[in-house]
Amino acid sequence: MKTISRLLLIIYFVSGNLMLAQNSYPQNYFRNPLNIPIQLAANFGAVRSNHFHMGLDIRTNSQENLPVVAAAEGYVSRIKVERYGFGNAVYITHPNGYTTVYAHLNKYFDQLDAFVKEKQYKDEKWEQDITFSPRQFPVAKGQMIALSGNTGGSAGPHLHFEIRDTKTEECLNPLLFGFNIPDNVAPIVSGLYWYDRRFSSYEPGANDVSVKKSGNTYTANIIYVNSPVVSLAIKAVDKANKGFNLGIYKAQLLMDNQLIYSFTIDKVSYDDTRYINGCIDYAKFIRDKMSIQHLSVLPGMKLPDYSSGSNGIISLPDDAIHNIEIVLKNTNGNTSRLITQIQWIKTSEGIVESAQTIHPNEARTIKTENAEINLSENALYDAINFKMSERSDADAVSNAVILHNLYVPIHDHYALKIKPNRKLNDDEKNRLVIELNYGSDKEFIKGKWNGSYVEGQFKRLGVARILLDSSVPSVSPNWKEGALIAGSSLILRGKTDIGDIESFRAELDGKWLRFARIKDNFVYLFDEKCPKGSGVHTLKVTTTNTAGNMNTQTFTFHR
């Protein structure tokens, strides 16, 4: 009888552990922010480039302009208008200590939209970040606050929805608040990996282990490792009933029936979201687009309220066979298990540290003949034997500087200084741009002089060089010069040879005109500033690129 009671108690605590976090948040206080059933395209904590996904991506059936409603009573406390990121966003503060966020919107409700437009014209600035008092725009639960869209850093029509702690501004997992989203699908495992952790998870990197599936249980053959100190990582997704790949909510690692590591994604702040790079195999994510999550703590990973137990490092003091179990759960309690064994086979030695070894929590400056990088103590998640070199580059005004490799993440900004390889006149000195090539893309910043060096700050590794940009930016209209415009908008396509168009100003007949920045386009929707039948108009556009080069163009049209 005592055995049965103990077993029931264990079952109670194991099943109750998942509900504990859910019950600490108000259940069913917030309603669905759309008037259609919630179908998820992404959940809270899903792996994204350099950040966790911080809310729910709710499908809008590939449509735009669906009504978005307030999830609970409160007041509009903030709006944002930006080119990337959230695009157009609304923040609603609620009396229960939470704030909800609605992003990628096309349009605010009429009164709010008119207020924002007036502010944009007053400031002569399209991008905005406005805060409001509780009395300005109160809203009721279910009140229409906006139309859904595809603005900002959105790859398709959807609504991004967040719940935040108003006081701390931490993003909380919305699925812990009792939304009715049917889900009976357990997490799906597609890969298992082990790492020699005597030096670093980066060197030599991941070792693949084959996984077999039987229902919601997965197995792998015994893992033979050549190191007495290892860690594991899992490639897995959660799938909602509609089939989209979602992130893993909870993972546990047990060895010989003892819990040695777990993570749970209940809350993350935007200040800490970049720590995602210390929770995943970054090289696999960049090189192979694979989301592999560590079941251990890297020494420079400092994300609070994420992991528990020990640090997940598996110590194998002898050649005994040890049992491994990995348990994955979603917020609905659907569970998968992976079962395997591990054994240390004594073979080769591990990675040897070099003079250029950098450890987490250690600030370092590394130099070559014509370049210097300054890494802060927070730069690295794990140790690396940092490699830095130069090569000649005929297209640049400096050597190309190879900063280790692009498969190692950097947590915060580092300062990079590069010396030009020829003498520059004063005009040329003011037109320099530092390019960082990190494989999938490039980043450009205007260089600042620091003695004989040109300096810039970056947050990724790759190949850097100094470019001289003597070109000017430009815009191309979607109408012929002097044409009669019968459509609803003016569109200008921006172009610059190096970097980006950093500033844009349009004046219609001498007065500032509100153009929205949509990717590389500048879009004006006709309104009372330029009504039909108003005759011939002159549009003056001034653009400035990364190097600081400016260009002014003039266009005419009939309306």
Side-chain angles (χ1 to χ4, degrees):
M1 188 68 181
K2 287 183 179 180
T3 301
I4 295 175
S5 298
R6 288 178 63 189
L7 181 59
L8 290 173
L9 188 63
I10 291 171
I11 293 172
Y12 171 80
F13 276 111
V14 170
S15 61
N17 184 46
L18 185 64
M19 298 303 298
L20 185 61
Q22 293 174 313
N23 290 336
S24 66
Y25 300 110
Q27 301 297 290
N28 305 310
Y29 179 89
F30 296 110
R31 60 151 288 172
N32 178 354
L34 295 173
N35 291 323
I36 58 174
I38 294 179
Q39 296 180 24
L40 296 182
N43 64 342
F44 184 83
V47 176
R48 294 290 186 268
S49 178
N50 297 307
H51 67 283
F52 289 99
H53 190 249
M54 304 291 271
L56 305 179
D57 278 354
I58 304 176
R59 297 179 63 198
T60 57
N61 297 328
S62 300
Q63 300 178 52
E64 297 184 28
N65 298 317
L66 297 186
V68 177
V69 303
E73 70 168 327
Y75 70 96
V76 175
S77 54
R78 182 183 182 189
I79 67 93
K80 290 185 76 173
V81 179
E82 56 187 352
R83 176 187 180 189
Y84 292 121
F86 282 168
N88 300 322
V90 171
Y91 299 63
I92 297 178
T93 296
H94 305 280
N96 65 342
Y98 298 100
T99 295
T100 50
V101 183
Y102 315 74
H104 307 309
L105 308 169
N106 273 353
K107 187 178 184 295
Y108 308 118
F109 67 91
D110 289 345
Q111 297 94 323
L112 181 58
D113 202 62
F115 182 97
V116 173
K117 180 179 179 180
E118 182 180 350
K119 183 80 161 49
Q120 289 170 321
Y121 272 98
K122 179 182 177 182
D123 296 346
E124 297 188 350
K125 181 181 179 183
W126 171 69
E127 288 198 312
Q128 295 285 330
D129 188 347
I130 309 171
T131 57
F132 302 96
S133 70
R135 293 186 298 273
Q136 285 179 276
F137 295 104
V139 294
K141 186 174 185 175
Q143 177 182 330
M144 199 275 280
I145 58 169
L147 297 177
S148 69
N150 186 30
T151 59
S154 172
H158 73 282
L159 175 67
H160 178 84
F161 175 71
E162 295 181 2
I163 300 178
R164 300 185 183 183
D165 182 306
T166 301
K167 185 176 181 180
T168 66
E169 296 189 344
E170 287 180 306
C171 291
L172 310 172
N173 191 335
L175 296 181
L176 303 177
F177 286 79
F179 289 99
N180 181 24
I181 308 175
D183 181 5
N184 56 15
V185 180
I188 298 172
V189 179
S190 58
L192 178 65
Y193 302 83
W194 70 268
Y195 301 78
D196 181 346
R197 293 296 292 276
R198 285 174 292 180
F199 174 64
S200 169
S201 61
Y202 303 141
E203 301 179 43
N207 298 275
D208 191 6
V209 179
S210 297
V211 172
K212 298 178 182 178
K213 182 181 188 300
S214 177
N216 290 334
T217 300
Y218 299 79
T219 58
N221 293 332
I222 186 168
I223 306 169
Y224 298 108
V225 300
N226 62 359
S227 169
V229 184
V230 299
S231 65
L232 300 177
I234 194 83
K235 181 186 176 188
V237 296
D238 191 22
K239 279 190 177 288
N241 286 348
K242 296 297 180 179
F244 279 78
N245 289 341
L246 307 178
I248 298 299
Y249 169 64
K250 185 181 185 71
Q252 297 171 314
L253 171 63
L254 299 92
M255 185 170 75
D256 298 331
N257 298 317
Q258 297 293 317
L259 180 68
I260 63 171
Y261 177 82
S262 72
F263 73 74
T264 306
I265 188 75
D266 284 336
K267 58 183 179 180
V268 181
S269 75
Y270 272 95
D271 289 339
D272 293 328
T273 191
R274 194 175 176 87
Y275 279 117
I276 182 69
N277 293 331
C279 300
I280 63 172
D281 187 321
Y282 184 83
K284 289 281 189 181
F285 184 80
I286 298 298
R287 184 187 295 114
D288 305 318
K289 311 302 179 187
M290 295 168 56
S291 298
I292 298 169
Q293 293 180 259
H294 285 298
L295 299 176
S296 65
V297 179
L298 302 189
M301 205 291 287
K302 303 171 185 176
L303 179 65
D305 304 313
Y306 176 75
S307 59
S308 60
S310 70
N311 61 9
I313 302 300
I314 297 173
S315 296
L316 302 169
D318 52 41
D319 59 359
I321 295 175
H322 297 273
N323 296 316
I324 296 293
E325 182 179 9
I326 298 169
V327 182
L328 305 178
K329 298 181 181 181
N330 62 24
T331 53
N332 281 35
N334 301 311
T335 303
S336 298
R337 287 179 169 80
L338 188 154
I339 298 170
T340 187
Q341 294 178 310
I342 194 167
Q343 184 180 24
W344 174 31
I345 304 297
K346 297 182 181 180
T347 53
S348 63
E349 294 297 324
I351 300 293
V352 177
E353 295 190 19
S354 72
Q356 299 289 67
T357 298
I358 310 176
H359 293 275
N361 308 309
E362 173 190 0
R364 284 287 297 275
T365 297
I366 295 179
K367 300 179 180 180
T368 56
E369 183 178 356
N370 299 293
E372 177 181 312
I373 184 172
N374 293 280
L375 297 167
S376 80
E377 62 183 12
N378 298 315
L380 297 180
Y381 304 105
D382 212 344
I384 55 173
N385 285 316
F386 196 88
K387 299 177 179 65
M388 181 173 171
S389 60
E390 301 179 31
R391 65 168 182 248
S392 61
D393 190 323
D395 297 323
V397 293
S398 74
N399 286 345
V401 181
I402 299 95
L403 303 167
H404 196 67
N405 65 63
L406 55 91
Y407 303 117
V408 171
I410 297 295
H411 185 71
D412 61 0
H413 284 97
Y414 62 84
L416 174 66
K417 297 194 294 186
I418 305 175
K419 188 178 295 184
N421 58 13
R422 68 175 176 84
K423 189 173 181 179
L424 302 166
N425 61 42
D426 289 342
D427 181 65
E428 290 174 325
K429 286 181 178 180
N430 290 324
R431 298 175 184 270
L432 298 183
V433 173
I434 303 178
E435 174 198 87
L436 178 70
N437 186 329
Y438 50 86
S440 61
D441 206 349
K442 297 177 181 179
E443 182 179 353
F444 301 86
I445 64 170
K446 185 173 177 59
K448 296 182 179 180
W449 283 93
N450 185 341
S452 60
Y453 289 87
V454 179
E455 183 174 338
Q457 292 194 335
F458 298 94
K459 293 179 77 171
R460 297 186 70 159
L461 298 176
V463 180
R465 60 181 184 165
I466 303 173
L467 300 177
L468 174 60
D469 184 9
S470 299
S471 66
V472 294
S474 63
V475 293
S476 302
N478 69 331
W479 70 92
K480 292 183 179 181
E481 179 63 18
L484 175 65
I485 307 295
S488 61
S489 65
L490 298 177
I491 300 176
L492 298 168
R493 176 75 173 176
K495 182 181 183 300
T496 188
D497 290 350
I498 297 174
D500 197 5
I501 294 179
E502 301 291 345
S503 71
F504 170 95
R505 179 181 177 85
E507 294 178 357
L508 183 69
D509 304 326
K511 294 183 179 180
W512 186 83
L513 192 65
R514 184 183 69 162
F515 273 79
R517 185 85 182 260
I518 303 175
K519 305 299 189 286
D520 291 325
N521 289 338
F522 301 88
V523 180
Y524 165 66
L525 299 178
F526 282 111
D527 57 9
E528 73 282 358
K529 304 294 182 181
C530 189
K532 283 186 177 180
S534 54
V536 180
H537 295 280
T538 299
L539 182 70
K540 184 173 82 169
V541 177
T542 302
T543 51
T544 307
N545 65 11
T546 302
N549 303 324
M550 185 181 294
N551 187 24
T552 298
Q553 299 167 265
T554 302
F555 310 97
T556 60
F557 63 90
H558 285 72
R559 180 67 174 157

